[in-house]
């Protein structure tokens, strides 16, 4: 065994003993970690451009940076995702938008079928990835003044309703073929830059459009519907039709789910605080894990208090097998594959640290009314040797330990990405 492997094994055994002293079995935590999937968003790899030729239309997603090497087609995007997955010890899923279809002949977005994603499906099958899906309600000529499902124009709403219905059928087929439910997410950028004259009008249009999309009952063992709200966006600062309150009320009344994006709330709001209020009362919940700075800026996910709190709440509430998790950000100022890897490893470390937390001792202290012990233990647990367990996990999964993944990625950038012009 190499010297580095011996060090990792020795440090893991020491960490295992430390955690055992608090009643935690590290081997059980690792086994649980391997059962929890994390969905990776395809749109980080090409700056949310997709593969369509839609002409010169406005994008509702602001991507900054001009780092070279973006994926230009499906083969390159899948190769980049494979590379990211080789540098992460997590259990992986793939999150697709409909604008990444690969039809044999040009096909309008509202006419796409499962076969237009055949290459994605066969690739995911071959690699054991689950699939999640989204209709792309943005960057398209049929976005009328920035509106889709909530547009004042009936023909615009009809177009996007058809796209939404088709996306649900595609998601169900993906779930059937992959053997794991496909989460089908709906996010629309509809809104106004300045104060609307009639908020209710747009929300009535959105409600009616959603009612039409969800008319057909689909097998929940194959697909799950969720709705993603947002406080505001660039160009829609004054009014967002699909607000959190609207979607939460709609989901509760129509037995669909919601997606909570950690970058879509006010900066003082904490999604970790919301999980126990929502998960028991809503059919399905999906987390889009991002890092919003002052607004939904979609910064690359890194370790921090917000992420730690989110994973702690997932563990303490027993939500890891009830709530879906996926990453959602885009950054073109750094290597795009590195952005994926940094986010995957950050989420994985936070998840493993939460699984290792001696949560039962905190709960017991609180039940005993010993809030002094609860706070003292909370602080002590922050310094338990979770990283030794993480390095052992990486070693066991054949994933680079520490910063070694950067060496692998730089070689990939030189050999593959740098040749893209």
């Amino acid at each position: 065994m190499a010297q580095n492997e011996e060090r990792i094994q020795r440090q893991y055994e020491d960490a295992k003993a430390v955690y055992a002293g608090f009643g935690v079995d590290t081997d059980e935590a690792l086994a649980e970690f391997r059962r929890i999937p994390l969905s990776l968003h395809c749109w980080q790899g090409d700056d949310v451009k997709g593969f369509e030729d839609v002409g010169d239309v406005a994008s509702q997603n602001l991507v900054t940076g001009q780092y070279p090497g973006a994926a230009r087609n499906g083969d390159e995007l899948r190769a980049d995702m494979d590379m990211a997955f080789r540098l992460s010890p997590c259990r992986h899923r793939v999150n697709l938008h409909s604008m990444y279809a690969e039809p044999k002949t040009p096909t309008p977005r509202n006419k796409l079928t499962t076969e237009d994603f055949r290459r994605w499906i066969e690739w995911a099958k071959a690699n054991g990835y689950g699939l999640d899906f989204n209709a792309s309600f943005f960057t398209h000529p049929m976005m009328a003044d920035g509106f889709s499902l909530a547009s004042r124009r009936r023909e615009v709403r009809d177009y996007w309703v058809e796209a939404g219905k088709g996306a649900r059928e595609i998601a169900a087929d993906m779930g059937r073929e992959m053997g794991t439910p496909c989460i089908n997410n709906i996010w629309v950028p509809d809104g106004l830059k300045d104060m609307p004259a009639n908020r209710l009008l747009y929300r009535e249009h959105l409600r009616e459009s959603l009612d039409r999309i969800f008319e057909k009952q689909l097998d929940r063992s194959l697909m799950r519907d969720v709705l993603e709200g947002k406080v505001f966006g660039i160009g829609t600062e004054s009014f967002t039709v699909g607000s959190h309150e609207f979607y939460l009320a709609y989901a509760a009344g129509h037995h669909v789910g919601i997606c909570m994006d950690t970058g879509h709330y006010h900066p003082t709001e904490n999604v970790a605080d919301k999980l126990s209020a929502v998960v028991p009362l809503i059919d399905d919940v999906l987390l889009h894990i991002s890092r919003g700075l002052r607004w939904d800026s979609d910064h690359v996910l890194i370790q921090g208090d917000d992420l730690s709190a989110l994973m702690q709440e997932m563990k303490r509430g027993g939500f890891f097998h009830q709530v879906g998790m996926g990453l959602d950000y885009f950054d073109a100022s750094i290597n795009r594959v590195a952005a994926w890897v940094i986010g995957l490893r950050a989420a994985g470390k936070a998840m493993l640290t939460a699984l290792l937390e001696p949560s039962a001792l905190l709960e017991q202290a609180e039940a005993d009314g010993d809030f002094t012990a609860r706070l003292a233990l909370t602080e002590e647990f922050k310094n338990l040797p979770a990283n030794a367990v993480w390095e052992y996990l990486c070693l066991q999964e054949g994933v680079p330990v520490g910063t070694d993944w950067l060496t692998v990625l730089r070689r990939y950038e030189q050999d593959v990405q740098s040749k893209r012009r």
Side-chain angles (χ1 to χ4, degrees), residues 24 31 41-42 56 74 90 177 180 214 230 260 280 317 353 375 389:
V24 175
H41 55 309
C42 73
D56 185 17
C90 301
E177 295 207 36
T180 176
F214 295 134
K230 194 172 185 178
M260 294 192 288
T353 300
L375 185 57
V389 184

Side-chain angles (χ1 to χ4, degrees), residues 49-71:
K49 293 177 181 175
F51 304 147
E52 301 169 317
D53 182 10
V54 294
D56 185 17
V57 296
S59 173
Q60 284 73 41
N61 296 286
L62 179 62
V63 183
T64 57
Q66 294 181 318
Y67 199 93

Side-chain angles (χ1 to χ4, degrees), residues 88-127:
S88 159
C90 301
R91 179 182 171 190
H92 302 118
R93 296 175 66 90
V94 173
N95 196 1
L96 283 175
H97 255 285
S98 63
M99 63 196 300
Y100 292 88
E102 297 171 284
K104 294 180 180 178
T105 58
T107 304
R109 204 179 290 179
N110 64 331
K111 300 295 184 182
L112 293 171
T113 69
T114 304
E115 290 309 303
D116 298 320
F117 298 89
R118 178 54 52 191
R119 298 183 70 184
W120 286 106
I121 292 170
E122 295 306 322
W123 167 74
K125 279 183 183 179
N127 290 281

Side-chain angles (χ1 to χ4, degrees), residues 145 147 189-197 202 235-241:
D145 300 319
F147 281 85
D190 300 27
L192 290 169
K193 183 177 180 64
D194 220 326
M195 294 175 291
Y202 296 105
T236 57
E237 290 85 356
S238 292
F239 175 56
T240 300
V241 185

Side-chain angles (χ1 to χ4, degrees), residues 92-315:
H92 302 118
R93 296 175 66 90
V94 173
N95 196 1
L96 283 175
H97 255 285
S98 63
M99 63 196 300
Y100 292 88
E102 297 171 284
K104 294 180 180 178
T105 58
T107 304
R109 204 179 290 179
N110 64 331
K111 300 295 184 182
L112 293 171
T113 69
T114 304
E115 290 309 303
D116 298 320
F117 298 89
R118 178 54 52 191
R119 298 183 70 184
W120 286 106
I121 292 170
E122 295 306 322
W123 167 74
K125 279 183 183 179
N127 290 281
Y129 308 144
L131 287 175
D132 298 309
F133 198 63
N134 317 253
S136 306
F137 296 93
F138 52 82
T139 316
H140 195 275
M142 284 301 287
M143 294 296 296
D145 300 319
F147 281 85
S148 60
L149 294 177
S151 173
R152 287 174 173 265
R153 293 165 49 185
R154 178 74 185 197
E155 69 273 17
V156 171
R157 299 199 304 275
D158 287 348
Y159 179 93
W160 291 112
V161 165
E162 188 174 12
K165 288 182 176 181
R168 296 184 72 228
E169 298 286 354
I170 292 167
D173 288 342
M174 287 179 171
R176 183 180 296 105
E177 295 207 36
M178 305 312 300
T180 176
C182 175
I183 300 179
N184 179 63
N185 183 44
I186 291 179
W187 171 75
V188 299
D190 300 27
L192 290 169
K193 183 177 180 64
D194 220 326
M195 294 175 291
N198 190 343
R199 288 180 172 86
L200 181 60
L201 171 71
Y202 296 105
R203 286 183 170 140
E204 286 180 338
H205 285 329
L206 179 55
R207 181 178 63 181
E208 185 261 351
S209 293
L210 292 174
D211 287 347
R212 293 164 63 195
I213 288 173
F214 295 134
E215 278 176 346
K216 183 177 180 180
Q217 293 290 321
L218 294 176
D219 189 341
R220 278 174 44 80
S221 70
L222 302 179
M223 64 87 66
R224 310 286 174 86
D225 293 299
V226 296
L227 302 168
E228 180 179 356
K230 194 172 185 178
V231 171
F232 77 98
I234 297 301
T236 57
E237 290 85 356
S238 292
F239 175 56
T240 300
V241 185
S243 65
H244 297 294
E245 295 81 4
F246 176 89
Y247 282 144
L248 189 59
Y250 188 95
H254 294 77
H255 299 289
V256 296
I258 63 167
C259 170
M260 294 192 288
D261 187 308
T262 58
H264 283 190
Y265 292 84
H266 289 290
T268 56
E269 290 187 276
N270 188 344
V271 173
D273 181 55
K274 303 176 185 298
L275 286 171
S276 60
V278 172
V279 175
L281 302 172
I282 298 294
D283 284 8
D284 296 293
V285 176
L286 170 68
L287 289 176
H288 272 184
I289 308 174
S290 182
R291 178 168 57 108
L293 295 182
R294 298 179 178 85
W295 60 283
D296 180 31
S297 47
D298 288 290
H299 282 66
V300 176
L301 186 67
I302 61 173
Q303 297 176 79
D305 290 344
D306 287 350
L307 180 59
S308 295
L310 186 67
M311 293 300 182
Q312 285 171 348
E313 188 66 17
M314 289 283 285
K315 186 271 179 82

